[in-house]
Amino acid sequence: MTRIPNYTNDSAPTTFAHPQNFIVFGEMGVGKSSLINLIAGEQVAKSSSGVQSCNLESTEYPIRLSDPQLNVNLFDTVGLDSPTMDSASYLNALVKAHELIVSLKNQGGVHGLIFCIKGGRVSRTMQQNYRLFYEFLCQKKVPLALVVTNLETEVNMDDWWIRNKVHVEKSGVVPATHVCITAIKGHQNAHENKYFESRRKVHNMLRVLGRAEPYSIDTSSWFGRMCRLLPELLLTAKTLGRSRQKMLQMLTKRCELRKEDAVQLLQRIDSSQDKY
């Protein structure tokens, strides 16, 4: 995991409340970096590159603003990107995300999930990302905010949610809160008013999420939950693409699974692939 140096804005005081941890996730290209920059009020995050997507690394952005409630650590993580990922990459994504949440156990836990999507229809990949982070990794115990980006052309950005709420919730994505925003000012600041409106919305969203107690992952049930999730993920990822021995080492060393559990998991992958 990459850690970016602290960024300070808004004439921040010298002392802060204990920072809260938020995981920002979503498909590549939905605007996660722009969202982080919107929160910070300055350019602190670069757009994800193909290299970062392949490595599936997360990056920490400590944001320090004048409001103690906005004293936050944002973890920009690469989610699942169908159909470009094979099953080895899917498993690697699971492992990386698991490592991040386990590491946050020693940093106060996870205070909230920020699910970033572009305005449009809900795709299967969006549903898989939601299930991975909210249901699988955080066991539905961490409040999730849906951030809908790229809405600068809407007369009223909140109209998008009015039109799409039923469809989103029918797809299984049920956020604790949501915001409809733009993270750009546009050519010659054409969308500046909507940009600052969006910044206020996102800051209020962080305050709402921060009211919940932080969650620390239950590692004891991780193996069973991973086995249950694999068949669905492998519907769109059918090639293992990595030697069983290397996969076994990754599961036992990085995920700290018992060898017999890791073998069982690899057998589950094989059987899932045989079905499809």
Side-chain angles (χ1 to χ4, degrees):
M1 181 180 70
T2 305
R3 191 177 190 276
I4 303 299
N6 288 5
Y7 290 95
T8 304
N9 199 2
D10 289 355
S11 300
T14 56
T15 58
F16 301 95
H18 185 75
Q20 297 178 320
N21 300 316
F22 297 95
I23 295 175
V24 182
F25 71 99
E27 297 173 71
M28 188 170 65
V30 296
K32 298 189 298 292
S33 298
S34 297
L35 172 63
I36 290 169
N37 293 333
L38 177 71
I39 292 170
E42 59 182 310
Q43 192 80 16
V44 300
K46 295 181 180 179
S47 297
S48 299
S49 66
V51 173
Q52 184 193 26
S53 180
C54 291
N55 290 338
L56 299 165
E57 294 287 353
S58 61
T59 303
E60 178 184 355
Y61 295 95
I63 308 297
R64 305 294 180 258
L65 304 181
S66 57
D67 184 345
Q69 291 180 292
L70 300 176
N71 177 26
V72 299
N73 296 324
L74 303 178
F75 295 84
D76 181 6
T77 184
V78 178
L80 304 178
D81 275 292
S82 297
T84 60
M85 299 175 75
D86 59 21
S87 58
S89 297
Y90 269 77
L91 184 55
N92 203 18
L94 291 174
V95 171
K96 289 282 188 179
H98 174 259
E99 287 177 338
L100 170 61
I101 293 183
V102 168
S103 72
L104 292 180
K105 187 175 183 178
N106 299 321
Q107 300 182 46
V110 183
H111 294 79
L113 297 172
I114 301 174
F115 185 19
C116 193
I117 68 171
K118 276 187 176 181
R121 304 298 285 178
V122 176
S123 67
R124 177 174 176 77
T125 307
M126 289 162 56
Q127 292 172 293
Q128 288 179 331
N129 275 291
Y130 174 83
R131 291 205 62 200
L132 169 62
F133 283 92
Y134 180 66
E135 297 182 6
F136 169 63
L137 291 170
C138 293
Q139 300 175 266
K140 300 182 180 180
K141 295 179 180 179
V142 178
L144 179 142
L146 184 68
V147 178
V148 187
T149 65
N150 291 70
L151 297 179
E152 57 274 1
T153 59
E154 294 273 353
V155 175
N156 183 337
M157 293 183 289
D158 291 330
D159 286 346
W160 186 93
W161 184 249
I162 295 173
R163 296 194 306 270
N164 293 279
K165 178 179 184 291
V166 172
H167 173 65
V168 170
E169 293 183 347
K170 278 186 177 180
S171 73
V173 178
V174 184
T177 186
H178 72 276
V179 289
C180 296
I181 68 162
T182 181
I184 63 170
K185 293 182 180 179
H187 180 63
Q188 296 183 338
N189 293 327
H191 308 304
E192 186 176 47
N193 289 339
K194 290 179 180 177
Y195 172 88
F196 285 112
E197 174 192 344
S198 297
R199 190 165 189 245
R200 288 191 296 272
K201 286 181 177 179
V202 173
H203 283 180
N204 286 334
M205 173 197 76
L206 290 174
R207 293 184 182 101
V208 170
L209 290 180
R211 294 171 188 163
E213 289 295 319
Y215 171 70
S216 294
I217 190 170
D218 175 13
T219 56
S220 63
S221 61
W222 184 76
F223 170 71
R225 288 183 284 118
M226 188 171 187
C227 282
R228 288 193 296 272
L229 185 68
L230 274 175
E232 177 179 338
L233 296 182
L234 293 174
L235 280 168
T236 54
K238 300 180 182 179
T239 304
L240 189 58
R242 179 181 296 204
S243 74
R244 290 182 65 85
Q245 186 60 34
K246 289 183 178 178
M247 297 290 280
L248 187 64
Q249 290 175 354
M250 179 172 66
L251 291 169
T252 54
K253 292 182 179 180
R254 289 172 53 187
C255 300
E256 299 182 353
L257 289 181
R258 296 180 304 168
K259 185 176 180 179
E260 54 267 35
D261 286 342
V263 170
Q264 181 182 340
L265 181 54
L266 290 177
Q267 291 172 345
R268 181 68 175 263
I269 292 175
D270 289 339
S271 63
S272 297
Q273 290 176 330
D274 291 340
K275 292 179 182 179
Y276 306 110

